Amino acid sequence: MKILAEQKISEDSQADLARFAKALSHPTRLEILRLLSTQSCCFTGDLVEILPIAQSTVSQHLKELKIAGLIQGEIDPPKTKYCINQQNWQKAKLLFASFFE
Amino acid sequence: MKILAEQKISEDSQADLARFAKALSHPTRLEILRLLSTQSCCFTGDLVEILPIAQSTVSQHLKELKIAGLIQGEIDPPKTKYCINQQNWQKAKLLFASFFE
DNA sequence: AAAACAAATCGTACATTGGCGATGAACGAT
DNA sequence: ATCGTTCATCGCCAATGTACGATTTGTTTT
């Protein structure tokens, strides 16, 4: 029972790790995360200015990062402010670290 | 000059990180890497037996992992033996660790 | 109510991925 | 030389990802 439960957890962790890795697998998303983790937060508009891609594309990458759980956005009308989701950021950090031993 | 060089290195590292993350973004590839890192090596056939997917698909994932530099294969006719590429494995480990601070 | 702004979403185009079966290539054994 | 084994590659397809411009949504200001 215990062993089965642990296997289940391990499988889930592997799926989680795959999802996090997928979120990190695009240079633009890495750049967004790097910007958000150095500055504590960013408005979408700031990112659009910095990144050499269209506003709609930035918005889409932000959406993916949000779905992956790595960032969170709060509306501060008329702007939206994004920051790292610290809880999942730590979780991802741990998952990667333990994957590499 | 030094600063520019460091920025270049940093950009390259980000691209490297994205490529590593992409290689890790599929559960099957994570499983392959996990198997290879616990046992020191594996024949393709062993992986095909363990994994619930077709031989050709396993072979394709192995190819991707090889291109990403995370594994290396040596032919031991008629079999092929795969193992972790330790150098790039360490590189990936460091890149992920420093990305998460 | 209208205009202005920020950001999300929609619709479209194209490239890439992930899966499979079938075929090909390399090699050892018969 | 043929056969069997092992693995890589090919061709195909559906599904997903990436990018864009255009439009919509939501809010503030005029």
Side-chain angles (χ1 to χ4, degrees), chain B:
Chain B
M1 265 295 111
K2 186 143 182 298
I3 290 172
L4 284 177
E6 279 167 3
Q7 281 179 349
K8 185 67 162 44
I9 288 169
S10 153
E11 281 168 24
D12 288 351
S13 297
Q14 202 141 290
D16 286 344
L17 186 54
R19 286 189 302 106
F20 285 135
K22 194 170 188 177
L24 300 184
S25 72
H26 195 286
T28 296
R29 290 195 289 272
L30 285 181
E31 181 66 10
I32 290 173
L33 290 170
R34 204 181 56 78
L35 289 167
L36 290 183
S37 70
T38 53
Q39 309 165 47
S40 59
C41 281
C42 259
F43 293 111
T44 305
D46 300 334
L47 297 170
V48 172
E49 273 185 35
I50 295 170
L51 301 168
I53 56 180
Q55 176 265 322
S56 59
T57 309
V58 173
S59 196
Q60 198 153 341
H61 284 304
L62 288 170
K63 186 182 179 182
E64 285 177 49
L65 290 172
K66 198 164 57 179
I67 289 174
L70 288 172
I71 66 172
Q72 56 199 0
E74 53 180 292
I75 303 170
D76 180 11
K79 300 189 172 186
T80 304
K81 193 167 56 176
Y82 283 99
C83 19
I84 299 288
N85 179 325
Q86 289 299 335
Q87 186 179 334
N88 284 327
W89 184 262
Q90 289 304 318
K91 185 179 175 186
K93 177 181 179 171
L94 288 176
L95 283 176
F96 278 106
S98 77
F99 179 77
F100 285 106
E101 259 95 319

Side-chain angles (χ1 to χ4, degrees), chain A residues 2 16 41-42 48 51 56 58 60 62 70 83:
Chain A
K2 186 145 181 298
D16 286 344
C41 280
C42 259
V48 171
L51 299 169
S56 58
V58 173
Q60 198 153 339
L62 288 169
L70 288 172
C83 19

Side-chain angles (χ1 to χ4, degrees), chain A residues 57-96:
Chain A
T57 308
V58 173
S59 195
Q60 198 153 339
H61 283 304
L62 288 169
K63 187 182 179 183
E64 285 178 47
L65 288 172
K66 197 164 58 181
I67 290 173
L70 288 172
I71 66 173
Q72 56 199 359
E74 52 181 294
I75 303 170
D76 179 12
K79 301 189 172 187
T80 305
K81 194 168 54 176
Y82 283 99
C83 19
I84 299 288
N85 178 325
Q86 289 300 336
Q87 185 180 336
N88 285 326
W89 184 262
Q90 290 304 319
K91 184 179 174 186
K93 177 180 180 171
L94 289 176
L95 283 176
F96 278 107

Side-chain angles (χ1 to χ4, degrees), chain A:
Chain A
M1 265 296 111
K2 186 145 181 298
I3 289 174
L4 285 177
E6 279 168 4
Q7 282 179 347
K8 186 66 163 48
I9 287 169
S10 153
E11 281 168 25
D12 288 351
S13 297
Q14 202 141 290
D16 286 344
L17 185 54
R19 286 189 303 105
F20 285 135
K22 196 171 189 177
L24 301 183
S25 72
H26 195 287
T28 296
R29 290 194 291 272
L30 284 182
E31 181 66 9
I32 290 173
L33 290 171
R34 203 182 57 78
L35 289 166
L36 289 183
S37 69
T38 53
Q39 308 164 47
S40 60
C41 280
C42 259
F43 293 112
T44 305
D46 301 335
L47 296 171
V48 171
E49 273 184 36
I50 295 171
L51 299 169
I53 56 180
Q55 176 264 324
S56 58
T57 308
V58 173
S59 195
Q60 198 153 339
H61 283 304
L62 288 169
K63 187 182 179 183
E64 285 178 47
L65 288 172
K66 197 164 58 181
I67 290 173
L70 288 172
I71 66 173
Q72 56 199 359
E74 52 181 294
I75 303 170
D76 179 12
K79 301 189 172 187
T80 305
K81 194 168 54 176
Y82 283 99
C83 19
I84 299 288
N85 178 325
Q86 289 300 336
Q87 185 180 336
N88 285 326
W89 184 262
Q90 290 304 319
K91 184 179 174 186
K93 177 180 180 171
L94 289 176
L95 283 176
F96 278 107
S98 77
F99 179 76
F100 284 106
E101 257 93 321

